């Protein structure tokens, strides 16, 4: 009887066991219970985004300082990481022969294992100071205007930026693109110059239509502009090209001209205000506090040549339903790999993310060995992420690694989750759409730091050299 009962119990349990086995096969491994992969860049360049031996999570107790990652506490959804594809950047890359260029673009923009997965680009509307010459899309002889924009065309961009973007979109059709003007056509300005001056009020409407034409022209080439800013660095009229635009002027332009023009043309491109340094959060706040401008504004954009990265949180906290963007920071020819790596990862990447930015962009993607091209009066010390010389040699500069430590591991749609800074270890954590956890850590101290990374009651112990950057994935 006992044997019969045992057989009966086994028969009754078999379907349940089968279900458990089947579930065990299809269920992904419990996140944080196994191993963590990680990649390191050292300040002495002995290791550059180099994969290390895996670390194993355990329950051992030690006295190390601990970074605890908490996926239950969620913040902003990430749109992407990348660079500005300046006209000069496009020219430098297009000089490569077809096979070398294709390999480079795959490395930069594809989702392949060896790629760095750039997911966001900023481009200039007309020339930036990293073009070989100044131009707009509607340049006229001195003293003439074009109120109907009959002479509008994408001009020099059709020779470099547009064809290169088409090659990039063939690799990553989902890449996000933001457009920013350095100056409108000079006939719209009160000083008749590409440098400085302000937009004359009588041209506000025609300039709004200029933006509409730009977005439509790019779309005709298969290039969707996800967002624009009305003016790059509106409080810096000393660049070439550039324009001065106060917060009140920008608010007026958006509420009375640009926003309505987009609505009339059924343009879905986001309008992002400010696009300048962290020392003037009152600029975007002035626009956001205008009840007529507010509905047209998707968010605010920042650079960090002045001020503190915490300014992003100040604006976010005042208008939490409006996005924050970090759109530019250069690395310079006069600074070291060590100083740029530490400062930019800490501030531009980790800092912007911990202060609610949905993206993080460095400045130019590429230049030649002389930091060219740049306009007369433009930036002669801006160092691209890539240096491409006359012999088609490609050098990956510090900017490449600053952004790659995030872009390679944190795709669009990832969500920032909670993690604590401890001592000199600045960090930020994400959960990717596929469920992976990514932790980016920068050791801002002058000595190596040993620490734990704790997740779901288990932890790994690791050491990071002074100034080094590491990305951990599990």
């Amino acid at each position: 009887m006992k044997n019969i009962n045992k057989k009966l119990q086994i028969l009754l349990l078999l379907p349940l066991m089968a279900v458990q086995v089947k579930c065990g096969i299809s269920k992904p491994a419990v996140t944080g219970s196994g191993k963590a992969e990680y990649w390191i860049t050292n300040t002495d360049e002995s290791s550059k985004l180099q994969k290390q031996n895996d670390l194993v999570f355990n329950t051992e107790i030690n006295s190390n300082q601990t970074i605890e990652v908490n996926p239950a506490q969620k913040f902003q959804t990430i749109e992407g990481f990348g660079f500005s594809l300046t006209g000069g950047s496009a020219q430098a890359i297009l000089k490569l022969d077809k096979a070398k260029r294709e390999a480079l673009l795959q490395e930069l923009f594809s989702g392949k294992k060896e790629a760095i997965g750039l997911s966001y680009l900023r481009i200039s509307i007309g020339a930036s100071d990293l073009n070989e010459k100044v131009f707009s899309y509607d340049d006229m002889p001195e003293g003439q205007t074009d109120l109907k924009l009959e002479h509008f065309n994408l001009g020099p961009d059709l020779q470099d930026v547009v064809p290169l973007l088409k090659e990039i979109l063939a690799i990553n059709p989902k890449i996000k693109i933001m457009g920013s003007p350095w100056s409108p056509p000079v006939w719209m300005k009160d000083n008749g110059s590409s440098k400085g001056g302000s937009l004359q009020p009588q041209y506000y409407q025609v300039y709004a239509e200029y933006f509409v034409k730009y977005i439509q022209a790019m779309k005709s080439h298969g290039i969707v502009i996800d967002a624009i800013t009305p003016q790059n660095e509106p409080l810096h009229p000393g660049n070439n090209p550039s324009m001065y635009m106060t917060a009140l002027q920008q608010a007026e332009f958006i509420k009375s001209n640009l926003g309505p023009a987009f609505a009339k043309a059924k343009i879905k491109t986001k309008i992002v205000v400010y696009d300048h340094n962290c020392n003037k959060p009152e600029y975007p706040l002035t626009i956001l506090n205008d009840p007529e401008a507010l509905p047209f504004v998707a968010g605010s954009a920042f650079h960090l040549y002045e001020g503190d990265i915490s300014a992003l949180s100040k604006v976010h906290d005042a208008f939490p339903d409006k996005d924050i963007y970090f759109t530019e920071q250069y690395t310079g020819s006069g600074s070291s790999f060590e100083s740029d790596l530490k400062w930019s990862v800490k501030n531009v990447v980790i800092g912007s993310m911990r202060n609610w930015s949905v993206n993080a962009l460095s400045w130019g993607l590429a230049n030649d060995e002389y930091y060219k091209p740049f306009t007369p009066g433009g930036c002669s010390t801006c160092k691209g992420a890539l240096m491409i010389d006359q012999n088609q040699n490609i050098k990956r500069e510090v900017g490449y690694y600053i952004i790659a430590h995030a872009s390679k591991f944190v795709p669009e749609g990832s969500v920032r989750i909670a993690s604590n800074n401890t001592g000199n270890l600045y960090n930020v954590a994400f959960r990717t759409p596929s469920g992976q956890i990514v932790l980016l850590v920068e050791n801002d101290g002058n000595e190596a730091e040993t620490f734990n990374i704790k997740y779901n009651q288990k932890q790994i112990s690791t050491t990071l050299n002074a100034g080094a950057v590491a990305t951990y994935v599990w």
Side-chain angles (χ1 to χ4, degrees):
M1 189 69 182
K2 286 182 179 178
N3 287 337
I4 292 171
N5 284 338
K6 279 186 179 179
K7 285 180 181 178
L8 185 60
Q9 287 173 341
I10 290 169
L11 286 170
L12 289 170
L13 285 169
L14 277 173
L16 181 59
M17 290 168 65
V19 169
Q20 289 174 332
V21 170
K22 187 176 180 181
C23 289
I25 291 170
S26 61
K27 188 177 180 181
V30 178
T31 307
S33 65
K35 296 180 179 180
E37 298 180 300
Y38 73 115
W39 288 254
I40 280 181
T41 298
N42 286 319
T43 55
D44 63 2
E45 304 185 57
S46 59
S47 176
K48 294 179 178 178
L49 199 65
Q50 189 171 323
K51 193 175 186 300
Q52 310 297 306
N53 294 327
D54 291 354
L55 300 167
V56 179
F57 279 89
N58 59 68
T59 56
E60 295 173 7
I61 297 173
N62 60 48
S63 58
N64 297 339
Q65 58 188 321
T66 298
I67 298 170
E68 184 163 2
V69 178
N70 178 13
Q73 192 175 356
K74 300 175 183 178
F75 302 92
Q76 75 273 27
T77 299
I78 305 306
E79 292 189 9
F81 298 90
F83 299 91
S84 286
L85 181 68
T86 62
S89 297
Q91 285 186 340
I93 293 170
L94 285 168
K95 286 178 182 176
L96 296 170
D97 63 51
K98 188 175 180 181
K100 190 171 281 192
R101 183 170 74 247
E102 172 66 18
L104 176 63
L105 295 179
Q106 287 287 341
E107 174 191 333
L108 294 174
F109 298 103
S110 79
K112 294 179 180 178
K113 189 177 180 180
E114 63 275 13
I116 64 168
L118 300 178
S119 49
Y120 208 115
L121 288 173
R122 180 173 178 241
I123 58 177
S124 60
I125 300 174
S128 75
D129 58 310
L130 293 190
N131 278 82
E132 62 182 354
K133 63 179 181 180
V134 175
F135 65 89
S136 78
Y137 298 138
D138 200 332
D139 290 326
M140 297 295 293
E142 189 174 353
Q144 295 185 31
T145 61
D146 182 20
L147 300 182
K148 294 183 179 179
L149 301 176
E150 292 173 335
H151 298 279
F152 181 96
N153 69 85
L154 295 175
D157 281 352
L158 292 171
Q159 307 304 314
D160 41 54
V161 173
V162 169
L164 190 61
L165 277 176
K166 289 180 179 180
E167 292 186 27
I168 292 167
L169 286 163
I171 296 168
N172 179 4
K174 292 183 178 180
I175 196 164
K176 281 191 159 49
I177 300 169
M178 174 183 280
S180 302
W182 267 238
S183 173
V186 298
W187 53 266
M188 297 185 188
K189 299 171 74 174
D190 59 8
N191 68 344
S193 170
S194 61
K195 182 177 179 180
S198 295
L199 182 66
Q200 297 185 71
Q202 66 263 35
Y203 296 122
Y204 276 24
Q205 187 57 38
V206 70
Y207 194 40
E209 290 161 6
Y210 178 95
F211 278 89
V212 171
K213 277 190 170 287
Y214 166 70
I215 291 162
Q216 292 171 337
M218 293 297 274
K219 191 174 181 181
S220 74
H221 290 280
I223 300 164
V224 175
I225 304 300
D226 183 73
I228 59 92
T229 64
Q231 175 61 39
N232 169 69
E233 299 192 341
L235 300 179
H236 176 35
N239 206 347
N240 187 25
S242 61
M243 185 174 76
Y244 184 75
M245 181 181 258
T246 67
L248 290 175
Q249 288 171 335
Q250 192 163 122
E252 179 62 35
F253 177 57
I254 289 168
K255 71 183 181 184
S256 299
N257 308 100
L258 188 61
F262 276 20
K264 184 180 178 182
K266 295 184 168 63
I267 297 286
K268 301 297 184 186
T269 301
K270 300 167 192 166
I271 298 172
V272 178
V273 303
Y274 190 41
D275 206 7
H276 207 172
N277 288 327
C278 289
N279 63 331
K280 299 286 185 183
E282 61 270 22
Y283 189 114
L285 288 172
T286 297
I287 301 169
L288 293 167
N289 278 312
D290 186 319
E292 294 177 82
L294 182 66
F296 295 116
V297 176
S300 308
F302 293 86
H303 307 173
L304 190 54
Y305 301 110
E306 292 183 86
D308 188 86
I309 196 68
S310 61
L312 280 63
S313 282
K314 182 176 182 179
V315 176
H316 168 268
D317 292 348
F319 292 89
D321 60 331
K322 299 296 183 180
D323 285 331
I324 299 293
Y325 294 82
F326 191 92
T327 48
E328 183 187 314
Q329 194 69 30
Y330 95 136
T331 51
S333 60
S335 54
S336 67
F337 186 99
E338 176 182 6
S339 61
D340 279 338
L341 180 74
K342 288 178 63 175
W343 189 91
S344 284
V345 172
K346 176 185 175 182
N347 291 283
V348 172
V349 183
I350 294 171
S352 71
M353 293 291 113
R354 292 188 76 96
N355 286 280
W356 294 97
S357 187
V358 299
N359 73 345
L361 309 179
S362 278
W363 185 208
L365 178 58
N367 50 240
D368 69 15
E369 64 266 50
Y370 306 108
Y371 306 106
K372 292 182 178 179
F374 49 83
T375 62
C379 182
S380 61
T381 60
C382 290
K383 181 163 59 179
L386 305 169
M387 188 274 282
I388 302 173
D389 70 18
Q390 301 305 310
N391 297 317
Q392 301 196 19
N393 297 308
I394 303 168
K395 181 183 178 185
R396 288 148 189 83
E397 301 279 9
V398 64
Y400 175 97
Y401 299 100
I402 290 164
I403 294 298
H405 262 282
S407 64
K408 183 176 177 67
F409 311 101
V410 185
E412 179 192 359
S414 298
V415 176
R416 180 169 73 90
I417 56 177
S419 64
N420 60 295
N421 285 329
T422 177
N424 293 313
L425 300 172
Y426 290 85
N427 63 86
V428 64
F430 307 89
R431 187 181 184 94
T432 71
S434 66
Q436 285 188 313
I437 304 298
V438 179
L439 178 69
L440 174 60
V441 183
E442 182 259 339
N443 178 2
D444 207 49
N446 297 317
E447 296 179 357
E449 301 265 2
T450 298
F451 60 100
N452 302 325
I453 299 170
K454 188 177 181 180
Y455 182 84
N456 280 354
Q457 306 308 311
K458 293 191 176 183
Q459 65 187 29
I460 51 178
S461 297
T462 186
T463 300
L464 196 56
N465 290 332
V469 173
T471 305
Y472 304 84
V473 182
W474 64 92

